[in-house]
Amino acid sequence: MPLIPEEPQIHESVPGPRATPAAGRTAPTPRPVPGPGPRPAPPRGAPASSVRPGKPGPAAPPRGPVAAPPAQRTNSPQPPAGEPGTAAGAQLQLIPAPADGAVDAADEAVDLLLDSGRAPGEILVLTTGEIHPWAAHELSFGEASYWAQHNAADDVFYADAAAERATGRPVVVVAVNGGSDEVTAQALPAAMARAGALLIVCGDPQRINAVLGANA
């Protein structure tokens, strides 16, 4: 079930999120489309819970223009209906990124989803390698507090791809930022099962296609 990134199209009116590019990235990461059924944008003056949790540390400096998002993948290849670990009707999108830039690409995807009107509680971000800085920060206060935020489902949640307690949400973003091929091969089908409407995979296309092809 190989994923093939599509050619980007120019959408001048799409506002671009700002994120710090990872070291070694030679070009801006292509940004994802919002996906099917975006929610209305939150009203001006919305409570703090409607804002994506920030990563610990100083704010990232602004960067230059980013590439326009690729076209909506309405014909993205998907596993046959009824296959174990498949979310029926979920669209698949691949965002090319090196392993050390996959988390940044995932953050950009989340920013654009929120800008498009997706509610924060509809988004789950998974990592196959080192956990996201936000998850590491929240886990420092204990697992009880960390999973309580997951159960509240009122904000973007970040977890390890192998975390069985992370339940499905309408949009799942996977950062293939490390881990073995075996870990990736298990993480992607599990992410498909969790995604209700849209699955975004950020990582090396050659590696992802090889892993998916080996498990087809």
Side-chain angles (χ1 to χ4, degrees):
M1 184 186 62
L3 301 177
I4 302 176
E6 297 193 355
E7 292 295 328
Q9 296 182 359
I10 300 221
H11 299 280
E12 296 181 355
S13 63
V14 178
R18 295 293 181 266
T20 304
R25 291 175 63 189
T26 57
T29 303
R31 295 157 47 212
V33 295
R39 299 296 191 273
R44 187 181 300 274
S49 61
S50 65
V51 181
R52 180 170 66 90
K55 294 184 288 186
R63 65 172 194 169
V66 297
Q72 182 96 7
R73 299 193 65 186
T74 55
N75 296 318
S76 300
Q78 300 185 37
E83 181 177 329
T86 300
Q91 293 185 359
L92 307 178
Q93 183 176 19
L94 172 63
I95 299 180
D100 60 359
V103 170
D104 282 336
D107 286 343
E108 289 185 13
V110 170
D111 286 340
L112 186 58
L113 288 164
L114 295 176
D115 287 346
S116 75
R118 279 283 179 188
E122 295 183 336
I123 305 171
L124 172 66
V125 180
L126 304 172
T127 54
T128 62
E130 185 177 354
I131 62 175
H132 192 281
W134 182 89
H137 176 73
E138 294 302 319
L139 280 169
S140 69
F141 298 104
E143 289 201 8
S145 172
Y146 172 73
W147 288 109
Q149 296 182 64
H150 167 269
N151 296 336
D154 57 3
D155 217 333
V156 181
F157 191 77
Y158 300 79
D160 188 285
E164 295 181 356
R165 292 178 64 178
T167 58
R169 293 194 178 187
V171 181
V172 176
V173 181
V174 181
V176 183
N177 63 326
S180 65
D181 287 347
E182 181 181 359
V183 169
T184 302
Q186 294 174 351
L188 295 182
M192 291 176 191
R194 291 180 172 120
L198 178 65
L199 172 63
I200 300 173
V201 182
C202 307
D204 178 5
Q206 184 175 359
R207 181 186 179 194
I208 293 170
N209 286 329
V211 169
L212 293 176
N215 288 272

